[in-house]
Amino acid sequence: MAFFPASLETLIDKFASLPGIGRKSAQRLAFHVLSLSDPDARAFADAITEAKASVHCCRICQNLTEGEICAICESEHRDRSTICVVSEPRDVLSIERGREYNGTYHVLHGVLSPMSHVGPDDIRVKELLVRAAEEEVQEVIMATNPDTEGEATAMYISRLLKPFHIKVTRLAYGIPVGSNLEFADDATLNRAIEGRTEM
Amino acid sequence: MAFFPASLETLIDKFASLPGIGRKSAQRLAFHVLSLSDPDARAFADAITEAKASVHCCRICQNLTEGEICAICESEHRDRSTICVVSEPRDVLSIERGREYNGTYHVLHGVLSPMSHVGPDDIRVKELLVRAAEEEVQEVIMATNPDTEGEATAMYISRLLKPFHIKVTRLAYGIPVGSNLEFADDATLNRAIEGRTEM
């Protein structure tokens, strides 16, 4: 018993297929789209096709870009001897926000995850090895997330990089700046003690 | 400092403009859309334009439909002497799910809300009065939500319908079926006692 018109049902289905959007939210979103003006709805649809058509991965670092090479890889001000390896394009944004890091990136587009059948061939590891072999890379910073899969991926890649005699480092673990010891979990606190630095 | 390609930023903006979708969720949704196959992304965009182009309001009850008149208004099996007034198209779905009600509907597309500057001219009240005058309506059931605005809207419309000498009723308040007295709030419990029926 579908009581919504077919094209509305289709739209609801499309929204419901997005990650984290349930049936009810999908309905709400679809109703919202119907309430948009014609040009606004048109613009929404166009934004999808445009983004899909023009965004692809940078030939070098695999980050998302509209050109052949992304702005960071193209920039003359970036230090090409250091590559920061992240799992997702949004992680590049996070690190850039800090305005500290001046090297280049490599986006894996995922992490190794045997549970979800994601192996080394499903993420951009090969492309990293090519760069390690070709470019004058001196250091690779593993900046995957500090969870099990991110950790395993960092470990795996660092082993692959061994033969290249490149320095491989990992982001420091510790208590977040501005945080409170009281709220730090045991694992983080232990890592903060292990990694203590001289003052 | 936008580090995402322009067309991706546009898509993120579009998603972020949807109700209940924050910046982070919008990013996640946009990345998901980019990960779709070309035909799937195309289908998503098409679903928006198709729904927008073909869905409009039923000439009689204002419910969403693709034809001129919706399936319920068109059906010969529905009792045209009773109109159930709801605020949103999804409420029609909720009541239809009960499979009890056999009358027709009237969708207001909103409720009176002075705080959000929604007055009687912004919802489909006029269309209801036209029906009350023209059709052989004997009863109007006010099925707006049991909150302040829904209540005020029901009250307002029932006064407008006075001159037509039509029976105007309101959905019963009480404890939900299958629920527990312990979890019922005071207002609901009081209404349930007021509205008690003989066994």
Side-chain angles (χ1 to χ4, degrees), chain B residues 20-89:
Chain B
I21 306 284
R23 194 81 204 157
K24 289 256 168 178
S25 304
Q27 273 184 21
R28 202 169 29 125
L29 298 179
F31 281 126
H32 178 84
V33 168
L34 286 185
S35 75
L36 293 176
S37 69
D38 277 335
D40 283 353
R42 180 81 265 162
F44 199 141
D46 288 347
I48 291 174
T49 38
E50 294 263 308
K52 185 63 195 165
S54 52
V55 176
H56 49 258
C57 293
C58 168
R59 191 169 51 78
I60 301 174
C61 76
Q62 312 299 322
N63 193 7
L64 298 175
T65 176
E66 287 179 343
E68 199 201 341
I69 294 174
C70 76
I72 293 174
C73 285
E74 218 164 39
S75 165
E76 288 183 6
H77 305 293
R78 310 291 299 220
D79 170 13
R80 265 162 250 277
S81 70
T82 313
I83 298 178
C84 178
V85 178
V86 294
S87 63
E88 299 294 341

Side-chain angles (χ1 to χ4, degrees), chain B residues 104-136:
Chain B
T104 59
Y105 292 91
H106 191 86
V107 182
L108 295 172
H109 292 274
V111 282
L112 298 178
S113 172
M115 299 286 281
S116 323
H117 306 286
V118 179
D121 289 337
D122 302 315
I123 61 177
R124 312 290 169 91
V125 178
K126 246 190 340 267
E127 291 82 350
L128 176 62
L129 298 182
V130 171
R131 291 177 72 184
E134 286 180 358
E135 298 175 36
E136 305 151 54

Side-chain angles (χ1 to χ4, degrees), chain A residues 7 34 36 38 52 54 66, chain B residues 7 34 36 38 52 54 66:
Chain A
S7 60
L34 286 185
L36 293 176
D38 277 336
K52 185 65 195 167
S54 53
E66 287 179 344
Chain B
S7 60
L34 286 185
L36 293 176
D38 277 335
K52 185 63 195 165
S54 52
E66 287 179 343

Side-chain angles (χ1 to χ4, degrees), chain A residues 166-182:
Chain A
I166 292 171
K167 185 170 157 195
V168 180
T169 54
R170 182 86 175 102
L171 287 189
Y173 284 104
I175 41 171
V177 175
S179 160
N180 197 312
L181 281 194
E182 194 180 341

Side-chain angles (χ1 to χ4, degrees), chain A residues 156-169:
Chain A
Y156 174 81
I157 292 176
S158 72
R159 277 186 200 157
L160 287 182
L161 290 172
K162 268 272 161 61
F164 295 92
H165 300 291
I166 292 171
K167 185 170 157 195
V168 180
T169 54

